[in-house]
Amino acid sequence: VERSRGLGDVYKRQSKYRIAQSSNGNGWQYYHYFPAGAMLAPGATWTIVNSSVDGTLYDTTNADEVLGFPSPVHHNGDDARAIEQTIDGGTTWVIIDQIGDPDNDPGAGWDVAGVTEATKDYTLVRKPSICMGDTNWMASLGTDSINSQWIVLPQNTMDSLGMHNGCNATPPPPPMDTINNMVFFSEYIEGSSSNKALEMFNASSDSVSLDKY
């Protein structure tokens, strides 16, 4: 698993994150909190995989979290996911990146980069040029391979999981205790059966604490 690219000084940010989950367009209903002490170094990935993933496709010992049902990696193509951040102890949560529309069911899945229903039976990888999350899902998915933030790969592609080559810039750390949208989804996998995973990437030059207050 890729842990660091040496993008700068590391210090612990006093903010926490969670993954919001929606099923079939029924709004944000469920939330996944990270394990105690979870830290994401600059330039590192955090990988979450379904506990029943095919071991010939991905070695789960390389994952940061391996989750049984229910979890954010028991999704179908029409289930939205978002990264939320709080800087006030959990009173207020702010979405900083999003996959899908929590309030609308597209049917089997959303079209991405001109590929029909690409959130179902495909792997989506964030382009290396992307350095921050985007809460405008309709804008980030794009209409073709040029204007989309995502690269669409064939079903069950899992060989890049945990090794995101993202954000070719070296952004400065945001001020302490501010919303930091440089933590974002870098890979989304909705493969056959239980071959499902999510990957998060820290594009900032400082470490972030993922676990809740």
Side-chain angles (χ1 to χ4, degrees), residues 42-107:
T45 58
W46 186 271
T47 303
I48 308 174
V49 299
N50 187 298
S51 61
S52 297
V53 69
D54 185 342
T56 65
L57 296 175
Y58 182 78
D59 182 357
T60 58
T61 62
N62 290 325
D64 295 285
E65 294 184 83
V66 181
L67 302 178
F69 182 84
S71 83
V73 286
H74 284 79
H75 53 284
N76 294 314
D78 59 349
D79 298 331
R81 298 291 185 262
I83 301 173
E84 295 186 340
Q85 181 186 10
T86 181
I87 57 174
D88 60 8
T91 300
T92 305
W93 290 87
V94 177
I95 293 176
I96 58 174
D97 195 27
Q98 186 170 321
I99 297 174
D101 182 345
D103 300 315
N104 291 286
D105 189 339

Side-chain angles (χ1 to χ4, degrees), residues 9 13-14 17 39 41 43 46 49 63 73 83 88 93-95 102 117 126 137 154 163-164 190 198 200 202-203:
D9 296 332
R13 298 187 56 76
Q14 303 303 309
Y17 300 79
M39 294 287 294
W46 186 271
V49 299
V73 286
I83 301 173
D88 60 8
W93 290 87
V94 177
I95 293 176
E117 299 177 350
R126 216 72 177 258
W137 167 241
M163 299 182 291
H164 185 61
E190 206 286 320
L198 291 171
M200 295 165 53
N202 178 11

Side-chain angles (χ1 to χ4, degrees), residues 80-150:
R81 298 291 185 262
I83 301 173
E84 295 186 340
Q85 181 186 10
T86 181
I87 57 174
D88 60 8
T91 300
T92 305
W93 290 87
V94 177
I95 293 176
I96 58 174
D97 195 27
Q98 186 170 321
I99 297 174
D101 182 345
D103 300 315
N104 291 286
D105 189 339
W110 286 276
D111 298 349
V112 180
V115 178
T116 302
E117 299 177 350
T119 55
K120 175 179 170 56
D121 298 332
Y122 287 94
T123 291
L124 306 181
V125 175
R126 216 72 177 258
K127 289 181 177 178
S129 58
I130 303 303
C131 290
M132 62 183 60
D134 194 334
T135 59
N136 187 340
W137 167 241
M138 299 306 294
S140 70
L141 58 85
T143 58
D144 56 39
S145 62
I146 303 301
N147 60 30
S148 177
Q149 295 183 13
W150 298 90

